[in-house]
Amino acid sequence: MSVQGDRFKAIADAIRAKKGTSDLIKASDFATEIASIEAGGETLGGEYNIEQIVDGDNCELVITTAGQPENKLAQLVDRSIAGEITAEDLAGATVIGSYAFYGCQYLNSVDLSGINYINVNAFYNCTNLKNVEFEDNTYIDDRAFMNSGLSGTVTVPYYPYITQTNKSLGDSVFEGCTKITKLIINSGSISMNNRCFYGCTNLSEVEFGESCTTSKIGARHFMNCSSLKTITLPLTVTGLYESCFANSGIETINLHEGLTSVSGNVFSGCSKLTNISLPSTLTNISNYMFYNCSSLQNINIPDSVTSIGSYAFNGCSSLISVTIGSGVTSLGTNAFYGCSNLPTITIPESVTKIGNSAFYICSNLTNIIIPSGVTSIEAGAFYGCSKLTEMTILATTPPTLGNKNAISTATTTIYIPAGTLSAYQTATNWSNFASKFVEMEA
């Protein structure tokens, strides 16, 4: 393929200036010389198979990267490319090579019609690149537009040839593009990898087309998107990966039926999240899922959920209502740590374990009933619950108690089943509360 020659003439001129000569550059020497030019504060190298170079006003260079298809646009070393690159400039090209326009800070517009593969770091750090036109059937590889100046609305292309290792969007494709305000993802089985839109701080709207069939939202995908207040996910999404919305501006979101897997930290640090609907297909509340969601007020955990992970609601200081479904068997370490406005909570019969510091410093909790199926209350579970003056324990066999700090020092009365006083008064760590037990009527 051919690349418009004036861009390479600048490279040739730079080589001549460096050597202090006006001679034509031999094709056999060009690869060595191109690797020695410093641009943007760093030396860019690479092994090239130079087929032809002709100097002059009609300069045209035919160049391919060694070992790669001949239609691959090789690395451009000149970082002074300014203005726009048109479809005519890239006539005949189907691939943009790795680092091709890396750091071209004066480039502001690119028409990629006809391009079906944009390689890694192709437009990385093109800080003034505001507009780009994609064509469907385009694969965008890792960091292709990372930290670029793309602004306004970006329409994500559809690449239909999805395999396990070849996704529509690579990692960090638009990471750090702080001027993007809207994404349109129109169609197809878009598979979006990790950190695709990480740190797009002005992104406020994401529109999925009706025919978009993406199945997952990758790790840290919308993390630190502080202007993103709400999003409606495609019904085909079955998994949310680690931290995909962490520290974003999400205020409300409905997770649809069919969503089954949610990894850790998904909404961690979403301090503006006030309302969320969980589907009946969800199987777990993952670790740190709502960590420090300080505006979250209500949560209804469906019966399909079997566990509440560690730190799941840690720091949810505005939480006033929690409904735990009948399928939950364990409450993880620090699960409700610091939920200082939670006045009451019903633990279902299905629960067998209350983890370390699960309700630590739930300072507004006034009453708790421990169901008969609980066999373990771990260290610090109710420590610091300064208003928890009464507890009711329904187990006839005293649950294992992690330490004496598992029960609040404010607790003055612990109701236990009739006929179990002796067992509780002599059980390990329960003996510290011998004077506080009151047997209930049979």
Side-chain angles (χ1 to χ4, degrees):
M1 55 136 263
S2 297
V3 178
Q4 189 169 326
D6 57 352
R7 308 201 186 284
F8 284 99
K9 184 176 184 300
I11 301 173
D13 288 343
I15 293 172
R16 281 188 287 270
K18 184 179 181 68
K19 296 179 68 175
T21 180
S22 60
D23 295 341
L24 293 178
I25 300 168
K26 295 180 180 180
S28 58
D29 294 336
F30 201 88
T32 302
E33 299 293 345
I34 205 171
S36 69
I37 298 177
E38 292 190 2
E42 62 185 25
T43 299
L44 299 177
E47 295 181 1
Y48 299 96
N49 172 25
I50 308 302
E51 296 177 355
Q52 181 184 11
I53 181 170
V54 180
D55 200 5
D57 291 339
N58 297 316
C59 166
E60 188 174 73
L61 175 65
V62 181
I63 180 171
T64 62
T65 304
Q68 297 294 332
E70 290 187 0
N71 66 347
K72 184 167 186 175
L73 182 61
Q75 289 184 353
L76 293 176
V77 179
D78 180 18
R79 301 299 166 218
S80 64
I81 295 174
E84 67 176 10
I85 295 176
T86 66
E88 182 180 344
D89 292 330
L90 300 177
T94 58
V95 178
I96 303 294
S98 302
Y99 294 88
F101 299 94
Y102 177 99
C104 290
Q105 60 180 315
Y106 304 110
L107 183 64
N108 58 46
S109 180
V110 179
D111 186 342
L112 296 173
S113 300
I115 301 296
N116 58 33
Y117 186 9
I118 303 170
N119 223 310
V120 296
N121 300 308
F123 296 93
Y124 188 115
N125 275 348
C126 291
T127 53
N128 282 296
L129 178 61
K130 295 179 174 60
N131 302 300
V132 62
E133 295 292 332
F134 295 111
E135 189 168 283
D136 262 353
N137 304 331
T138 300
Y139 170 55
I140 308 177
D141 215 332
D142 298 349
R143 302 175 300 280
F145 293 91
M146 184 173 175
N147 294 340
S148 71
L150 289 178
S151 61
T153 300
V154 170
T155 300
V156 178
Y158 164 51
Y159 183 76
Y161 309 109
I162 303 301
T163 66
Q164 185 175 359
T165 58
N166 190 20
K167 306 301 183 183
S168 295
L169 292 178
D171 293 343
S172 302
V173 169
F174 298 102
E175 178 175 338
C177 294
T178 59
K179 297 178 182 178
I180 293 177
T181 58
K182 180 179 179 179
L183 292 173
I184 299 175
I185 304 171
N186 278 326
S187 62
S189 181
I190 301 291
S191 183
M192 296 178 286
N193 276 8
N194 303 333
R195 302 173 68 107
C196 280
F197 306 102
Y198 179 101
C200 293
T201 53
N202 278 297
L203 177 63
S204 60
E205 185 178 358
V206 179
E207 178 184 312
F208 291 95
E210 291 183 2
S211 59
C212 182
T213 57
T214 186
S215 61
K216 77 167 191 177
I217 307 295
R220 299 172 180 82
H221 199 77
F222 293 104
M223 185 173 180
N224 290 345
C225 292
S226 53
S227 298
L228 186 62
K229 296 180 179 181
T230 187
I231 187 170
T232 300
L233 300 173
L235 298 179
T236 52
V237 171
T238 58
L240 302 179
Y241 285 66
E242 183 178 357
S243 303
C244 64
F245 291 103
N247 298 329
S248 70
I250 290 287
E251 296 177 359
T252 180
I253 185 170
N254 293 324
L255 301 184
H256 56 268
E257 294 296 318
L259 182 70
T260 58
S261 175
V262 177
S263 299
N265 291 281
V266 164
F267 297 102
S268 176
C270 292
S271 59
K272 297 180 180 179
L273 180 65
T274 59
N275 183 51
I276 185 167
S277 176
L278 303 179
S280 64
T281 50
L282 191 65
T283 58
N284 71 303
I285 301 295
S286 57
N287 296 341
Y288 295 90
M289 185 168 172
F290 297 101
Y291 181 85
N292 278 350
C293 290
S294 54
S295 296
L296 185 64
Q297 297 181 358
N298 306 284
I299 194 77
N300 187 355
I301 299 170
D303 294 341
S304 56
V305 170
T306 60
S307 64
I308 296 176
S310 298
Y311 299 85
F313 296 95
N314 187 307
C316 293
S317 54
S318 296
L319 198 60
I320 57 175
S321 176
V322 176
T323 301
I324 301 178
S326 61
V328 172
T329 60
S330 65
L331 307 179
T333 298
N334 290 49
F336 294 93
Y337 185 114
C339 293
S340 54
N341 278 297
L342 186 64
T344 185
I345 189 168
T346 299
I347 300 174
E349 289 289 336
S350 54
V351 170
T352 60
K353 186 186 81 169
I354 299 173
N356 288 333
S357 304
F359 296 95
Y360 192 101
I361 317 180
C362 288
S363 53
N364 208 37
L365 197 62
T366 58
N367 185 274
I368 194 78
I369 297 175
I370 309 297
S372 59
V374 171
T375 59
S376 175
I377 301 173
E378 296 186 350
F382 295 96
Y383 188 79
C385 296
S386 55
K387 294 182 180 180
L388 187 59
T389 57
E390 294 184 354
M391 293 183 70
T392 299
I393 303 174
L394 300 180
T396 55
T397 299
T400 301
L401 195 65
N403 61 12
K404 67 178 182 180
N405 291 329
I407 306 300
S408 172
T409 55
T411 303
T412 57
T413 305
I414 302 174
Y415 293 101
I416 56 177
T420 62
L421 180 60
S422 177
Y424 273 90
Q425 286 181 330
T426 58
T428 301
N429 290 323
W430 285 111
S431 57
N432 293 288
F433 308 99
S435 63
K436 298 183 178 182
F437 294 119
V438 175
E439 287 188 317
M440 296 179 286
E441 292 183 6

